[in-house]
Amino acid sequence: MLTITQALHDQIVAHARKDHPDEACGVVAGPAGTDRPERFIPMLNAARSPTFYEFDSTDLLKLYRDLDDRDEEPVLIYHSHTATEAYPSRTDISYANEPGAHYVLVSTADTDGAGPFQFRSFRIVDGEVTEEEVRVVQAY
């Protein structure tokens, strides 16, 4: 299960809505070994595409150096889908290289009649996708 604060949830959704119609992407870091998302890090979608996201390689290198310096890890990796449901695509699955991370997808399309976005979390390990419950809390 992913437990996330309302503030972080809202920041991810706001980033997805702001970058629409392009896919938004980013990371929420947390103290190594805690599985607790704490620090919101929006990233630039280097692909600038409504159907694909890509972290800039220079930004990604800086991110991992910063995480190492702070003794943090990417607890949550997020991106948005602009015209489809919030479910990992084959490309998303092939790029999922952090087996301990929660992969959050936000859809900015109303694909299920439940409103203007979906917020879902998955574990992706060795190509296998497992959806997990999301619990939004006021504070940890």
Side-chain angles (χ1 to χ4, degrees):
M1 172 172 50
L2 169 64
T3 301
I4 186 171
T5 63
Q6 185 71 56
L8 287 169
H9 173 279
D10 293 350
Q11 287 177 296
I12 292 168
V13 170
H15 185 201
R17 288 180 170 158
K18 181 178 78 67
D19 282 12
H20 187 88
D22 289 339
E23 289 192 2
C25 58
V27 172
V28 181
T34 66
D35 195 41
R36 190 175 65 230
E38 291 184 353
R39 188 167 62 99
F40 177 70
I41 309 166
M43 303 283 284
L44 173 69
N45 178 356
R48 299 183 195 273
S49 167
T51 59
F52 180 74
Y53 83 97
E54 181 177 37
F55 292 122
D56 177 82
S57 58
T58 302
D59 290 346
L60 202 53
L61 180 60
K62 287 179 189 175
L63 170 68
Y64 276 92
R65 284 182 176 158
D66 185 45
L67 293 176
D68 283 344
D69 290 346
R70 295 170 174 257
D71 197 25
E72 291 179 328
E73 62 190 10
V75 174
L76 184 158
I77 299 168
Y78 73 89
H79 77 280
S80 62
H81 282 181
T82 61
T84 59
E85 72 173 318
Y87 191 86
S89 69
R90 282 182 292 208
T91 303
D92 297 338
I93 295 166
S94 70
Y95 282 1
N97 60 1
E98 289 286 346
H102 302 269
Y103 286 88
V104 166
L105 280 102
V106 175
S107 176
T108 54
D110 183 3
T111 58
D112 63 1
F117 72 91
Q118 301 170 335
F119 187 103
R120 297 168 73 185
S121 183
F122 304 87
R123 295 293 191 151
I124 305 173
V125 180
D126 296 329
E128 186 174 323
V129 177
T130 305
E131 186 165 6
E132 62 183 350
E133 180 184 342
V134 176
R135 189 177 84 179
V136 180
V137 296
Q138 290 306 309
Y140 299 125

